Amino acid sequence: MYSTQMEAAKKGIVTKEIKRVAEKEKIDEKVLMELVATGKVAIPANKNHKMLDPEGVGKGLSTKINVNLGISRDCADVDKEMEKVKTAIDMKAHAIMDLSSYGKTHEFRERLVQTSTAMIGTVPIYDAMGFYDRDIKDITPKEFLDVVKKHAEDGVDFMTIHAGLNRETVEIFKRNKRLTNIVSRGGSLLYAWMELNNRENPFYEYYDQLLDICREYDVTLSLGDALRPGSINDSTDICQIKELMTLGELTLRAWEKDVQIIIEGPGHMSIDEIEANMILQKKLCHGAPFYVLGPIVTDIAPGYDHITSAIGGAIAATHGADFLCYVTPAEHLRLPTLDDMKEGIIASRIAAHAADIAKNVKGARDWDNEMSKARKEIDWNKMFDLALDSEKAKRYREESSPEHEDSCTMCGKICAMRTMNKVMANESLTLSE
């Protein structure tokens, strides 16, 4: 018998989840089992999430992407969010993170667990605010843990918990001024609770109880970065690194109890710092899977942050990040619409795939080679089938029809593919109109 995927792997048991992930990733089950046993790969798979088609996150596997959804006070339409869930899964998102922060969120979470084949994440401290409906100062440590347990019972596969923001780290933050202070919502709420009550972070103080909950339901703990940089000015500062060191210690404590760990990372960061940050995280956190928001590589592009994030995400994943949280064009501006979500997913999938090519993930280049073959053969239907966004590719083609079907309206008769195909087949070539 086993309680978690990690415990099973340590005992040499190939679970159905390990078998499925090995099949998807085209790797040997024993190799995957060793990676899970040593914490290099996490397979978030809550025992109560019956619809799950499991994914592996970590070393040697394809880069995964997460989509943030959820209701808020200003946008509380559960049906609209469920429409986004269906679309996100159809667009091959690997994870759905419910960031609901208003009212009684159980309805949305319950429907999500009942329908989502993708792994599901939550941030319980958001839900605590609505669930208890009182000032954060008055929520007790036990009540915070009760919300975690409720999410675990409901079937959530991984949870973001900002356990690394302890009193020691807070003092360092106070002594080292930042341009944008604390931009993590969960981190700012915990900081407020700690300051108002003059107490230790409850998730740090009662970390063992938190691990017991995770072990019981096989919830993967996604250790949140409360002090992630919210501007390129604040990246790789002492606050970020001190918290990361604490997360490394908490990782070892979790593994002792067979609880799987994912480490969360920046944030906003200039391009030249990304590689070093990935190396540092892997070193300080013992090779645990790394989950990044972006990194967003410039602060000046609201409305286009899916692009600034995809640039950073591709570089980050190339150098060790395993899991990319999507960013939409609406980042920093509003709750994303369905169309915003689609753009964010496409941008993140491009970044993830580009990194998989660089990392030599098994089979990653095959997709590109098939597309190149279809382009050489000017096989439009095949190109559409292979396109990351088939609908958009078809629409662009249909909106500007060429005179010659074996070309497009940009090149016409002087299409290089058309020219080379005819010349190499010893066919006559007429370029005049």
Side-chain angles (χ1 to χ4, degrees):
M1 294 293 293
Y2 61 89
S3 294
T4 70
Q5 296 295 320
M6 175 175 262
E7 184 186 10
K10 287 178 179 178
K11 291 179 175 179
I13 300 170
V14 178
T15 65
K16 67 180 186 298
E17 290 82 10
I18 289 175
K19 186 180 288 291
R20 175 60 175 150
V21 171
E23 176 189 340
K24 284 182 174 182
E25 301 284 346
K26 300 180 176 61
I27 66 171
D28 184 83
E29 290 175 2
K30 290 183 178 179
V31 171
L32 178 60
M33 187 167 58
E34 177 63 21
L35 290 169
V36 174
T38 56
K40 306 298 188 299
V41 166
I43 302 178
N46 188 310
K47 296 172 183 177
N48 292 338
H49 186 184
K50 306 302 183 184
M51 289 292 293
L52 178 68
D53 185 5
E55 299 285 354
V57 180
K59 184 177 179 180
L61 308 186
S62 58
T63 307
K64 305 304 184 297
I65 71 160
N66 171 70
V67 170
N68 289 338
L69 297 170
I71 57 173
S72 67
R73 180 177 293 274
D74 294 311
C75 300
D77 191 326
V78 172
D79 290 332
K80 276 190 177 180
E81 291 307 293
M82 287 306 302
E83 182 185 359
K84 290 180 188 175
V85 170
K86 182 182 184 307
T87 301
I89 293 171
D90 288 345
M91 294 180 72
K92 301 182 180 177
H94 305 101
I96 305 291
M97 201 153 193
D98 174 15
L99 303 187
S100 295
S101 60
Y102 172 69
K104 311 306 181 187
T105 61
H106 177 70
E107 179 192 351
F108 178 57
R109 189 166 58 253
E110 185 177 49
R111 289 175 63 180
L112 186 57
V113 171
Q114 289 172 352
T115 60
S116 176
T117 54
M119 52 187 169
I120 296 168
T122 58
V123 188
I125 193 170
Y126 296 172
D127 193 26
M129 303 304 296
F131 186 82
Y132 294 114
D133 194 22
R134 63 177 186 268
D135 289 345
I136 189 168
K137 177 182 183 295
D138 300 324
I139 300 174
T140 68
K142 181 183 182 302
E143 287 173 330
F144 281 127
L145 289 172
D146 285 345
V147 173
V148 171
K149 187 172 179 65
K150 176 59 179 170
H151 283 217
E153 289 173 347
D154 287 347
V156 171
D157 302 298
F158 66 102
M159 295 185 206
T160 294
I161 304 288
H162 300 88
L165 185 69
N166 58 13
R167 296 296 294 175
E168 185 180 0
T169 307
V170 164
E171 290 308 310
I172 287 176
F173 165 74
K174 289 178 179 179
R175 294 198 303 267
N176 295 271
K177 300 301 180 185
R178 294 177 127 193
L179 183 60
T180 48
N181 293 317
I182 297 176
V183 300
S184 159
R185 281 189 293 179
S188 66
L189 291 170
L190 277 171
Y191 178 82
W193 188 93
M194 293 164 71
E195 290 295 289
L196 291 169
N197 289 288
N198 193 28
R199 288 189 60 178
E200 181 59 273
N201 178 345
F203 294 120
Y204 182 80
E205 183 175 358
Y206 299 100
Y207 189 64
D208 285 330
Q209 288 92 318
L210 174 66
L211 293 177
D212 290 341
I213 295 169
C214 292
R215 178 181 172 85
E216 182 179 355
Y217 296 92
D218 198 2
V219 173
T220 296
L221 198 53
S222 190
L223 289 173
D225 50 338
L227 294 176
R228 70 173 180 264
S231 61
I232 61 171
N233 181 79
D234 295 342
S235 61
T236 325
D237 68 353
I238 190 172
C239 305
Q240 177 196 331
I241 302 306
K242 175 61 178 70
E243 183 182 26
L244 186 61
M245 293 166 63
T246 304
L247 297 185
E249 294 175 349
L250 294 176
T251 295
L252 294 181
R253 287 174 60 185
W255 287 347
E256 287 174 2
K257 290 197 172 189
D258 301 324
V259 172
Q260 299 182 103
I261 288 291
I262 293 173
I263 303 294
E264 298 189 12
H268 294 234
M269 180 169 289
S270 63
I271 285 174
D272 59 309
E273 295 180 32
I274 295 174
E275 180 179 358
N277 269 262
M278 301 305 108
I279 294 170
L280 190 61
Q281 182 278 331
K282 289 287 184 176
K283 182 69 174 177
L284 292 178
C285 295
H286 319 288
F290 199 24
Y291 173 30
V292 294
L293 177 68
I296 289 174
V297 295
T298 178
D299 300 330
I300 62 165
Y304 299 91
D305 277 327
H306 59 311
I307 298 173
T308 64
S309 172
I311 293 168
I315 297 169
T318 295
H319 294 291
D322 307 289
F323 196 11
L324 304 181
C325 185
Y326 93 148
V327 172
T328 76
E331 185 78 7
H332 302 111
L333 299 171
R334 69 176 188 204
L335 192 77
T337 64
L338 181 63
D339 286 339
D340 293 331
M341 184 195 75
K342 288 179 180 179
E343 288 194 56
I345 291 173
I346 292 295
S348 292
R349 286 192 63 197
I350 291 169
H353 182 67
D356 287 348
I357 294 169
K359 290 190 288 190
N360 292 313
V361 169
K362 188 172 290 188
R365 285 179 178 263
D366 295 346
W367 188 2
D368 295 76
N369 291 340
E370 283 296 305
M371 177 63 87
S372 296
K373 183 172 181 287
R375 283 177 174 152
K376 182 184 74 171
E377 295 171 353
I378 316 179
D379 185 341
W380 293 103
N381 289 329
K382 184 71 170 176
M383 284 186 252
F384 298 149
D385 289 342
L386 290 166
L388 194 63
D389 185 348
S390 297
E391 281 184 28
K392 188 171 186 177
K394 285 179 183 176
R395 187 176 79 248
Y396 274 36
R397 173 76 176 167
E398 290 166 359
E399 287 174 353
S400 187
S401 300
E403 179 184 356
H404 301 279
E405 190 59 29
D406 59 351
S407 67
C408 73
T409 54
M410 181 174 184
C411 299
K413 281 188 173 183
I414 63 169
C415 167
M417 295 296 191
R418 179 177 183 272
T419 297
M420 292 304 299
N421 288 344
K422 287 184 175 293
V423 171
M424 296 184 77
N426 293 317
E427 295 179 10
S428 61
L429 180 66
T430 303
L431 298 179
S432 59
E433 294 300 328

